[in-house]
Amino acid sequence: MPGISNDWLEVMRPEFSKPYYGSLYKKVSDEYRTQTIFPPQDCIFNAFHLTPLSRVKAVILGQDPYHNAGQAHGLSFSVQPGTDIPPSLVNIYKELHDDLGCFIPNNGYLKKWADEGVLLLNAVLTVRAHQANSHKDIGWEEFTDAAIRAVNTQDRPIVFMLWGAPAGRKAALLNNPKHLILKAPHPSPLSAYRGFFGCRHFSKANDFLQKNGVEPVDWQIENI
């Protein structure tokens, strides 16, 4: 697996020497050698590479990467350019339009959000082709929980946007009163109508950031 080279390295370094990470590294390396695994190996840590810890303003948590070819590239809910927009992201765009008036773009490439300081982190960072949750419980959750704890300890206001029950349970890792925790049902077609639509998390996040003297996130994804 590739390494992490920016300011995340210092806070995540202790994880690399723990027994679980040794097992995780071997398992994932074996899987890439013998199976079709997503995202591409050099994209596993893209969430960290594209959004240094010192620049995190908001966190959006996903579960595991998309498992069809050409989709996953290491950012939760995002797909590579030229790929159909997945149903959950379609609903995210609908809520963003209703909340902030953003136009719905012709792509699902969310790199701009990462560049804006939104940590697009999945709880599990790899998956077998066409097998959702196939890398669940092999150690990634321990690694990404450590990353969430690292964000929690930052001494500045950060917004956590927790969509769906698994993401919502991560609130147990968050105890810093400087941060804002927003919870809603998952944006998938199965649950978006139970309260994701109308949650207004995007405007709430920006209102919180602005009130605390932080530049708000430009949520508009441009057409390609």
Side-chain angles (χ1 to χ4, degrees), residues 2 21-22 24 27 55 66 70 82-83 99 105 113 126 130 142 148-149 155 172 178 188 195 202 212 224:
Y21 192 84
L24 171 65
K27 170 73 172 174
R55 293 187 57 246
Y66 296 120
T83 305
D99 187 9
W113 290 0
T126 55
H130 317 304
E142 189 165 349
I148 294 167
R149 289 190 188 96
D155 188 29
K178 293 203 169 192
S188 88
F202 302 101
N212 285 280
I224 294 177

Side-chain angles (χ1 to χ4, degrees), residues 176-205:
N176 188 332
K178 293 203 169 192
H179 303 327
L180 175 66
I181 300 171
L182 299 173
K183 291 185 183 182
H186 196 274
S188 88
L190 297 174
S191 55
Y193 288 94
R194 297 179 195 152
F196 178 78
F197 290 138
C199 71
R200 301 184 62 84
H201 279 189
F202 302 101
S203 60
K204 288 176 181 176

Side-chain angles (χ1 to χ4, degrees), residues 122-151:
N122 280 316
V124 175
L125 300 185
T126 55
V127 69
R128 275 192 190 185
H130 317 304
Q131 296 181 45
N133 291 315
S134 48
H135 283 180
K136 188 173 182 283
D137 298 329
I138 65 170
W140 279 129
E141 292 91 344
E142 189 165 349
F143 184 80
T144 55
D145 279 1
I148 294 167
R149 289 190 188 96
V151 178

Side-chain angles (χ1 to χ4, degrees), residues 142-175:
E142 189 165 349
F143 184 80
T144 55
D145 279 1
I148 294 167
R149 289 190 188 96
V151 178
N152 177 62
T153 62
Q154 297 302 294
D155 188 29
R156 63 182 192 279
I158 295 170
V159 184
F160 291 83
M161 301 159 79
L162 308 179
W163 300 336
R169 287 193 287 272
K170 301 298 184 183
L173 305 174
L174 308 174
N175 60 5

Side-chain angles (χ1 to χ4, degrees), residues 66 70-73 75-86 89 107-110:
Y66 296 120
Q71 293 183 307
H73 64 105
L75 302 180
S76 63
F77 294 103
S78 180
V79 291
Q80 299 186 58
T83 305
D84 288 344
I85 302 173
L89 186 52
N107 67 92
Y109 189 52
L110 303 182

Side-chain angles (χ1 to χ4, degrees), residues 4 15 30 58 98 102 107 115 121 139 142 147 151 160 197 212:
I4 296 174
E15 302 305 305
D30 288 348
D98 292 345
C102 294
N107 67 92
D115 293 338
L121 184 66
E142 189 165 349
V151 178
F160 291 83
F197 290 138
N212 285 280

